[in-house]
Each structure stands twice: as C-alpha cells, then as structure tokens.
Amino acid sequence: MNKLNHVDSSSSDAKPESSSMTTVNILSRLRIATEQVRYIQSSLADNGLSDQVDMLDKVGKELDGILFNLGGIFSDDTRQSEINITSHDGQISKWLEQTFSSKPQHPPNRAAARFESIKAVIQASSFVNALQKQVRQNAKERLTTVLDLPVDICKLNLWSFNMMEYDEPLVFSTLLIFDAHDIISRYRIDIETLKNFGRALTDGYQKYRAPYHNDFHGADVLQTTHCLLIKSSLMNVFTQTEIAALLFSAAIHDYEHPGLNNGYLVKTKNDLALIYNDFSVLENHHASSIFKLLRDKRHNIWSNMDKNEYRTFRSLVISLVLATDMANHASLVERMSTYFFFKETNSTTALPDSKTLLQTLLHAADISNATKPWPIYVQAVEKIMEEFFIQGDLEKLYCEDDKPTFDRNSTDIVQLQMSFITHIVNPIFDVLSKIVQIDSLDRKQKESSSATTTILPWQYDLQLNLETWKQVAKSGDVQKLIIDKKPLKLDFIYLQEYVEKAEGILKRHSQHDLLLTCTFTSS
C-alpha cells in the first residue's frame, strides 16, 4: 500500500490552484484521485474485503460521473472564467486579470451540430484538398493584374508579411483573400461594391485615428486568419459559410474602434456603454455598425447571398465579433484545453463545435503580434503602447479616484510584454498548435519512424520575442531607456544585439533538446 500512503501525504498538503489554467489542473487531479480509488479497490479485492470493494466501486463510479460532467460544463462557452497572473508589477497583473477574464460571456447561440470527429473532418477527401488548392492557385493570376494591386496572394500567404508597409491595406487584402477562398464567385460579389466596402471599412477604422486599432490592424488580423487557415488542414473543417463569416469577421472585428477599452468606456459612462448596458461594449458596436453599413447597397457585398444562409452568416459573424472581447480569453483557452486534456487521456467528452474553433482562430489572430518576426512585432508594440498611454492620460483627467491603467511615466513596458506573452499569447497559441496539428494523430504518421513534429510558423518567433525581452530585462540601462521614451519609439537596430543573443540561446536550447532526443533514442 505504499502507493496509497504516498497519495495521502501529498494531497494533505495540497494548496488551492493559483495558475491561469486551473481547470485542466483540477481535472487532472480528479482523474488521479479516480485512479487511486480503483487501485485501492483492486487491493481490497485481493484481500477478500468484498464490502469495502462494493463501497469503493460506488465512489469510483461517482467520481467518473463527476469527471464526465465537469468536461461538459467546462466546454460551455457561456460560463465565466478567471485568470490569475503573477507578475513583478502589480499593475500589470491587475490589467491582465481584468482584461482577459472575469466577465460574462454573451448569450449562448449554440451551433446546430457538433463535430462527430474533428480528426475525420480534417482528413477530408483529397478531391476537396486539390480543388481548394487549385482555387488559390488561380487567384494569383486574377485580381492582382486586373486591378493593379500592390501585392498578390502569394505575399499574403506569408506569416511574415508586414501589412504596415502598404497603403489602404483593407482594400487589397479583402479583394485578394476573399477571392482566394472563392467567396467572391460563390456569393456573386460585385468587385466595385467590394472595393467600395473596403474603402468604407477603412474610413470606419480611421474614424478616431487610433494609433493601433486602425485599418492596419484590421487588415493584419484578416491576413493572419487567412494564414492560419491555409497553413493547417482547418479549411476542410468548416463550411463555406463559416469560412466567409470568419474572414469577414476578421476584417471588420474592430470597425470604428475609438482606441479606448471597454473598462474605460464603462467607467466614464460613455454613450456606447449606456447603449449596450456595459456588456461587450466595443464588440457590440463593431458588429452593429458594420451591419448598418451593409444596409447601403453601395457597400452591401452580401446582397446576392441566399436569405436563409444570410441569417446563419449574420448570426455567426455577431457571435465571432462578440467573442473578440478580451474578457473571453480565459474561458476560450479553458474550453479548448479541456477538450485536449480529455483527448490525451482517452476520456469521453463532448467535442468542441465549429463555432468554438472559429472563435479560437479569430482570437489568436487578434493577439498574434508577438508571434510575428521581431521587426513587425516591435512596430505593433510601439503603436499599442502609445494607445494605452493615451488612455492613461485621459484616466488622469477624468478618473481622478483611480490609478491609470497605464502611466506613460512609470509603466514597465518590458515586463508588460513578457507577462502578456507568457500568460496570454502562449496559452492560446499552444492550444492553436494542437488544433492545427490534430491531423498528425493519423495512425500512419504515428507508426512511421521518420515522422517529425511540424514547426508551425509562429512558434519560433514567439519564443524568440519572449527571450529577447528577457535579455533586455537583464540590462537595467536598456530597460530604463525603453521606459523613458515618450512617445515610445523602439530602436530596432539598437535592440538587434539582444535579438541575436536570444537567437543564440534558442539555438543552444534546440541543440540540447536534439542531444537529449538522440540519447533517449539510442538508449
């Protein structure tokens, strides 16, 4: 009974979970407890203690039922979730916790059907794969030449594409990406109407001249979402309506963003907060405003869509845009992580529906800056931090009783970026990596000795960017220099030496992992 004694001693000292992913940890502990009950039951049976065996059998079945029911509860996209952050800077921890969790979800709008098997759907017919590939290939030679666009679809297929280098990015990105996914031809979208819509969308994004939440961000999220689709097998998972809704939602998800967050709007009793009763204020405004724009026939790109399909499309777009409320982050990561926890432990639980997967893709694209190459990421950091500091300036003027969320004179930008990557970006992209690589579970690949893990485009840059900030944090002078810049203007050339240091460290880590793998294999 040594195993039992060991379990008792460890569980008696157990402390409440304080990590940002408590759900999976709780489920894991519950599963271990269930296994221990089964172990004790077996031991008692061997000693002829039948009464105790029957009692433990009932306890074991009860634990099994609890475990199964928890899986269903944690897969519910309507429940609230919290995230607990540990950071050297209390203000940063407070912002992360309040922004990315602890807020009700929008009213449920459940999908009509759930996946019978995500793996089976992903491994769709080769005919569909070939057809979609041909559609994307043909798109390269269509709109780019006819409309004299500054880029072609090949460039937009690159994870490292920098949207900030081009003018009117929403116009050419919607044209090319919608065409690449056969949306224009399927829904008989008039090219001039689509161009008009792209320009009107740009005007809406530029309405408040926000440093970050502008047309470049909208186009970047659209292009990143496109990349997530084509660099995985997920195009085979979704229907054409769902793909159209996802890409459209990506393009319009921050339409008419004022550069201020929901918390500020609620705190200052802004008109938008009063209109939407403090609930996902900005997200409700983005969705509502864009559908008002579509009432104008000059901008209504969906005028030829079937009425029944349009109802489904509109409902899904609203659901996706509302899900971009950052307060939904913890719940979304938790739901997807719970699914993979059960999958990895061969347990039975409901699979996530297509809407949850779509929400995961869009949310990941929305916070993907830290997964891009350092020069692109640095530009995004400058813009988002300036936007944060502008809100902080306004909070000093209009919210005298509260400390500003971000004070341009004291905020530790380096620690903020490190915490954001560690607690927010890493978890969602870890889940995303599991989603897009789910087809690697194919039995043939598992049995193949030559099978290797695919390195997804965001994985290396995400590690590199985090490691770079760690190197900067070690140098007090550099960190102080970054904090003191007003407005923030990061010198990429000056910071290049820290990037090189980070690359060297990651290279050594890679060599170390390779050595361990070789050692393990040879043994």
Side-chain angles (χ1 to χ4, degrees):
M1 301 293 285
N2 291 335
K3 187 175 181 182
L4 174 59
N5 293 334
H6 173 72
V7 173
D8 286 340
S9 63
S10 61
S11 60
S12 62
D13 297 328
K15 297 179 180 179
E17 296 285 352
S18 60
S19 70
S20 61
M21 288 302 300
T22 58
T23 300
V24 176
N25 293 335
I26 291 171
L27 288 169
S28 179
R29 288 164 55 189
L30 180 58
R31 179 173 57 83
I32 291 173
T34 304
E35 292 173 354
Q36 298 304 327
V37 169
R38 297 303 185 196
Y39 173 81
I40 298 169
Q41 179 184 350
S42 176
S43 299
L44 290 174
D46 292 341
N47 293 311
L49 302 175
S50 57
D51 292 340
Q52 289 86 341
V53 169
D54 291 341
M55 181 176 64
L56 281 175
D57 183 54
K58 293 179 181 179
V59 174
K61 289 179 180 178
E62 185 67 20
L63 285 173
D64 285 337
I66 293 172
L67 187 62
F68 180 81
N69 290 334
L70 280 175
I73 293 172
F74 291 145
S75 297
D76 182 4
D77 67 354
T78 66
R79 74 185 194 89
Q80 300 181 37
S81 296
E82 296 186 0
I83 186 170
N84 300 306
I85 307 295
T86 302
S87 172
H88 298 297
D89 190 315
Q91 196 69 15
I92 292 175
S93 296
K94 180 180 178 182
W95 172 73
L96 289 171
E97 291 170 357
Q98 291 182 346
T99 302
F100 295 93
S101 66
S102 303
K103 204 172 183 183
Q105 294 279 352
H106 54 274
N109 181 12
R110 302 188 182 282
R114 306 181 76 85
F115 285 131
E116 185 173 326
S117 169
I118 293 180
K119 177 184 170 185
V121 177
I122 286 179
Q123 295 169 341
S125 71
S126 59
F127 172 76
V128 173
N129 286 329
L131 181 61
Q132 291 175 333
K133 183 177 181 181
Q134 186 62 42
V135 167
R136 295 195 298 273
Q137 180 69 24
N138 292 341
K140 288 192 275 185
E141 302 172 359
R142 291 211 290 258
L143 293 182
T144 307
T145 304
V146 175
L147 300 179
D148 191 27
L149 300 178
V151 300
D152 59 23
I153 193 63
C154 290
K155 288 188 177 180
L156 294 185
N157 289 345
L158 301 174
W159 187 259
S160 58
F161 180 77
N162 189 355
M163 195 65 71
M164 289 178 277
E165 294 179 351
Y166 299 90
D167 296 327
E168 293 191 320
L170 274 170
V171 176
F172 69 75
S173 61
T174 52
L175 283 165
L176 290 171
I177 292 174
F178 280 25
D179 192 46
H181 291 273
D182 205 28
I183 294 172
I184 294 176
S185 61
R186 177 182 175 85
Y187 297 107
R188 305 188 304 281
I189 298 175
D190 178 72
I191 295 298
E192 286 303 314
T193 303
L194 184 54
K195 288 166 66 177
N196 290 338
F197 173 78
R199 295 189 184 104
L201 190 59
T202 299
D203 291 341
Y205 268 101
Q206 293 179 344
K207 182 176 181 178
Y208 297 99
R209 301 184 183 279
Y212 177 78
H213 286 100
N214 50 40
D215 55 323
F216 291 99
H217 172 66
D220 177 64
V221 172
L222 171 60
Q223 187 263 339
T224 301
T225 304
H226 162 70
C227 282
L228 291 175
L229 282 174
I230 67 170
K231 294 183 184 301
S232 67
S233 297
L234 291 175
M235 284 181 63
N236 300 320
V237 170
F238 306 120
T239 66
Q240 186 69 39
T241 305
E242 288 173 331
I243 291 176
L246 174 63
L247 294 172
F248 182 70
S249 299
I252 61 94
H253 79 285
D254 275 332
Y255 179 71
E256 292 189 348
H257 197 296
L260 303 164
N261 65 22
N262 283 332
Y264 178 85
L265 298 179
V266 171
K267 189 162 47 178
T268 58
K269 299 180 175 63
N270 184 275
D271 285 348
L272 289 179
L274 298 179
I275 290 173
Y276 296 111
N277 297 317
D278 300 345
F279 168 70
S280 295
V281 177
L282 286 171
E283 293 71 30
N284 271 296
H285 175 68
H286 303 323
S288 175
S289 298
I290 206 67
F291 281 105
K292 288 178 183 177
L293 178 66
L294 290 175
R295 291 189 304 191
D296 186 333
K297 64 180 181 180
R298 295 173 301 172
H299 306 132
N300 188 9
I301 60 178
W302 309 112
S303 60
N304 292 318
M305 185 182 284
D306 175 79
K307 289 183 179 180
N308 290 329
E309 185 175 6
Y310 182 76
R311 280 195 289 270
T312 302
F313 171 83
R314 170 173 153 77
S315 176
L316 186 52
V317 168
I318 293 171
S319 172
L320 289 173
V321 174
L322 289 180
T324 61
D325 185 344
M326 293 300 171
N328 295 326
H329 168 85
S331 174
L332 186 59
V333 174
E334 198 169 63
R335 278 183 280 139
M336 292 307 304
S337 297
T338 300
Y339 162 67
F340 282 107
F341 164 79
F342 279 102
K343 187 176 185 65
E344 290 167 358
T345 56
N346 296 317
S347 300
T348 303
T349 187
L351 299 178
D353 57 29
S354 59
K355 186 179 71 175
T356 302
L357 291 175
L358 291 166
Q359 290 171 344
T360 303
L361 285 171
L362 183 54
H363 177 54
D366 197 15
I367 59 171
S368 65
N369 295 129
T371 70
K372 301 296 179 70
W374 177 264
I376 301 174
Y377 170 46
V378 162
Q379 286 181 278
V381 170
E382 291 175 354
K383 296 178 185 300
I384 191 63
M385 290 310 305
E386 182 57 27
E387 191 169 293
F388 285 163
F389 291 151
I390 290 173
Q391 177 173 310
D393 296 339
L394 292 173
E395 287 172 331
K396 288 181 181 179
L397 289 174
Y398 301 114
C399 309
E400 296 179 359
D401 296 337
D402 297 327
K403 183 179 178 182
T405 307
F406 294 108
D407 189 329
R408 67 172 71 245
N409 296 315
S410 60
T411 297
D412 189 332
I413 298 167
V414 177
Q415 288 297 326
L416 173 60
Q417 289 302 312
M418 290 170 60
S419 295
F420 183 68
I421 291 175
T422 301
H423 296 292
I424 306 301
V425 184
N426 260 335
I428 192 70
F429 273 91
D430 178 60
V431 166
L432 187 63
S433 297
K434 292 177 180 177
I435 294 172
V436 300
Q437 292 190 105
I438 198 170
D439 58 339
S440 66
L441 298 175
D442 180 78
R443 179 169 38 177
K444 292 180 181 178
Q445 288 182 305
K446 292 171 84 173
E447 293 174 352
S448 173
S449 59
S450 61
T452 57
T453 302
T454 303
I455 300 299
L456 297 163
W458 55 79
Q459 292 176 318
Y460 178 78
D461 283 316
L462 184 57
Q463 294 178 42
L464 176 61
N465 293 337
L466 177 59
E467 188 61 41
T468 299
W469 287 124
K470 289 180 180 179
Q471 294 304 308
V472 171
K474 291 179 182 179
S475 177
D477 293 338
V478 178
Q479 190 168 6
K480 186 174 185 303
L481 183 64
I482 291 175
I483 293 173
D484 289 344
K485 290 202 173 186
K486 308 178 188 66
L488 177 65
K489 185 66 178 176
L490 296 174
D491 188 338
F492 173 70
I493 297 177
Y494 180 70
L495 290 171
Q496 184 60 33
E497 63 176 284
Y498 294 92
V499 177
E500 292 171 357
K501 288 180 182 177
E503 286 177 336
I505 290 172
L506 291 184
K507 183 178 180 181
R508 290 197 297 274
H509 285 174
S510 177
Q511 291 172 337
H512 179 66
D513 294 340
L514 181 62
L515 179 61
L516 288 178
T517 302
C518 292
T519 303
F520 177 76
T521 303
S522 62
S523 62

